[in-house]
Amino acid sequence: MTVDMAFKDAASKMWDQLTHVRVNSLNGKCTTLPILTLRNKYSRSFHLSWFGFWVAFLAWFAFSPLVPEAVKTDLHLSAAEVGNSNIVSLCATLLVRVVAGPLVDRYGPRQVMAWLLILGAIPSGLAGTVHNAHGLYIVRFFIGILGGTFVPCQAWTTAFFDKHIVGRANALAGGWGNSGGGFTFIIMVALYNRLRSDGLSQHSAWRAAFAIVPVPVLLLTAATILIFGDDHPYGRWQDRYKAPVAQLQPPVASGTAPHDRDTERGEVVEQKVEVVLEEKKDSSSAKPEGGSSASEKGPSNIDVQVMLAQEGIVITDVDKAVNQKLTWDIARDALLNPLTWLPALAYMTTFGFELTIDASLANVLFGLYTGPNFGQTKAGYIASIYGLLNVVSRPLGGYFGDLIYKRFGVPGKKYLTLACGVLQGVFSIGLGVYIDHHDKPKLSVVIVIFVIVATFNEVANGANFSLVPHCNPNSNGFMTGIVGAMGNLGGVFYALVFRFQASPFGKAFWICGILTMAVNFMLVPIPVPRQ
């Protein structure tokens, strides 16, 4: 085969993966990632999940690019009050994520996502009523409700995508959603500058910016999700028990089957039961029901091609998982399970750090380089790089997680997550030491180092949520809520470091780096299932 033919074959396979839907017949989940089409419920659910989180992140961090100059000057805030407002904005999210998990297990991710966006639009609309630090604390606290959308975002993609592709699906949805924290710096700063050039005062311009962008976008997105979204591959959320896999019992091992030995060696035997979705010729005439065409109600209405691997089918807990309503017994078992705290504590150090950087980086850069040629606008645009890298970096984490899973199983995902967390800590220490040991640190060097930090940081986040579906799979919403909440708790911890160790500017970075490395090393002994 020539290089040209090999390239065409690879391109054809990739195009097929990105445009065609193939479904595992056991659980109704998609085994491809059809992100270049909107003609099926898997694609629509994926795009609605990440976009809902994107607009939430946009509004959640809309204050951050305007705080260093416009809001701080207008409200006469001290540096301590700015730091306090950053901490407060993370506190509500922590609480909402804990509550959102059980709500997802009960009502489904689509409903929870939409209503969180609607609730978050209310305090966003009231941002213009703030006139002092206490008012800022209250508004930013309730805007923090929007951070809870991360839970339905990840639970939604987990419900629709199979275990061999779920790492990429979760990471893409989370990464593209998180990039809203970068785009908000560009959008809010540009809008504020435009309003100022149109003649509005500083007092009015930043207030008007909130009414023009966050509120309408949040409400429009919530309506779109409610109208066009799907609860579950089998239709309504209460229909999730109709999946054939929900009726299965764990297979009984007999003798020394080849796949048992393979599993012990860490070689993952791929589940090769797939359903190929093919549109019926008369599908266009089918009457939609609940936002989906008749051809999308379940495997009974699609052509099925079952392909069985010669080794036999390996059915894991992830394959059989169906979200259960939260009970005290389920909650107790999950909270006592070390598998719950492996991704949760790792996420505390990685996503927690990212949240703090999203809220604080513009202020740090403004303090380091403020002058005639460096103001709020430039600080905001440079700080936006950290969030924008999520478009690529976090999806890479999910991709690497799925890739490693094929060869090393779940342990591979674990060590990838922890290794990236450790490297994030190493370069964070390096950034802090460089800043503190130079009277005038070069902006170019600072940017290069924080880009490296961001890359490992966001790859770790993506890899983490390729691991989460393997931990307590029957309580995916609750599990996602715990891990997400711990990410926010980490954000509070790191924000406190930046609040009380604000000077010299590099000190907070190397303190956070040491904490990150220590926690990730401590998690290494926790065992994980092979598959």
Side-chain angles (χ1 to χ4, degrees), residues 164-215:
H164 294 295
I165 198 76
V166 72
R168 275 163 280 184
N170 282 352
L172 275 171
W176 291 359
N178 273 3
S179 71
F183 279 103
T184 195
F185 282 85
I186 298 172
I187 294 170
M188 296 302 287
V189 168
L191 178 58
Y192 170 80
N193 288 339
R194 177 58 185 269
L195 293 172
R196 290 283 282 147
S197 66
D198 287 345
L200 268 67
S201 66
Q202 183 185 67
H203 174 83
S204 301
W206 74 264
R207 289 172 163 81
F210 274 88
I212 293 172
V213 175
V215 178

Side-chain angles (χ1 to χ4, degrees), residues 53-321:
F53 186 39
W54 187 89
V55 299
F57 230 96
L58 178 85
W60 185 18
F61 284 93
F63 266 107
S64 296
L66 303 179
V67 161
E69 187 175 319
V71 178
K72 184 178 180 180
T73 302
D74 184 45
L75 300 182
H76 308 291
L77 302 175
S78 66
E81 288 171 329
V82 170
N84 291 340
S85 74
N86 288 336
I87 296 169
V88 165
S89 72
L90 300 175
C91 291
T93 305
L94 191 157
L95 300 174
V96 172
R97 288 186 174 186
V98 171
V99 175
L103 290 177
V104 164
D105 287 331
R106 185 175 181 86
Y107 299 107
R110 180 179 69 95
Q111 293 279 351
V112 176
M113 172 73 82
W115 284 106
L116 285 177
L117 293 176
I118 293 170
L119 290 174
I122 298 172
S124 296
L126 295 174
T129 65
V130 173
H131 291 285
N132 54 45
H134 293 294
L136 181 65
Y137 296 160
I138 293 172
V139 166
R140 292 198 74 179
F141 177 84
F142 285 104
I143 288 177
I145 289 171
L146 293 167
T149 54
F150 174 76
V151 176
C153 168
Q154 297 292 277
W156 206 350
T157 47
T158 299
F160 275 81
F161 293 92
D162 204 34
K163 64 182 180 183
H164 294 295
I165 198 76
V166 72
R168 275 163 280 184
N170 282 352
L172 275 171
W176 291 359
N178 273 3
S179 71
F183 279 103
T184 195
F185 282 85
I186 298 172
I187 294 170
M188 296 302 287
V189 168
L191 178 58
Y192 170 80
N193 288 339
R194 177 58 185 269
L195 293 172
R196 290 283 282 147
S197 66
D198 287 345
L200 268 67
S201 66
Q202 183 185 67
H203 174 83
S204 301
W206 74 264
R207 289 172 163 81
F210 274 88
I212 293 172
V213 175
V215 178
V217 172
L218 288 168
L219 294 176
L220 181 60
T221 303
T224 303
I225 288 171
L226 289 173
I227 295 170
F228 297 105
D230 293 275
D231 287 332
H232 190 268
Y234 279 82
R236 298 174 301 172
W237 187 246
Q238 53 266 42
D239 295 332
R240 64 193 184 277
Y241 297 104
K242 293 181 179 179
V245 77
Q247 318 302 324
L248 292 179
Q249 297 296 324
V252 179
S254 58
T256 56
H259 69 267
D260 290 336
R261 294 194 299 269
D262 289 343
T263 300
E264 289 173 4
R265 291 200 305 266
E267 298 177 5
V268 177
V269 181
E270 292 190 14
Q271 167 68 54
K272 293 190 177 180
V273 178
E274 295 180 334
V275 177
V276 180
L277 270 179
E278 297 179 357
E279 292 190 9
K280 300 289 189 180
K281 291 182 179 179
D282 60 345
S283 62
S284 59
S285 61
K287 182 178 179 181
E289 179 174 332
S292 301
S293 66
S295 64
E296 290 185 349
K297 284 185 177 182
S300 60
N301 292 323
I302 57 181
D303 293 334
V304 180
Q305 296 178 355
V306 181
M307 296 168 285
L308 301 179
Q310 293 181 353
E311 305 95 321
I313 299 172
V314 177
I315 301 175
T316 68
D317 288 342
V318 178
D319 294 308
K320 296 178 293 181

Side-chain angles (χ1 to χ4, degrees), residues 65 182 185-186 189 362 365 374-385:
F185 282 85
I186 298 172
V189 168
L365 293 174
F374 197 99
Q376 173 182 270
T377 299
K378 193 168 185 178
Y381 285 154
I382 294 174
S384 71
I385 296 172

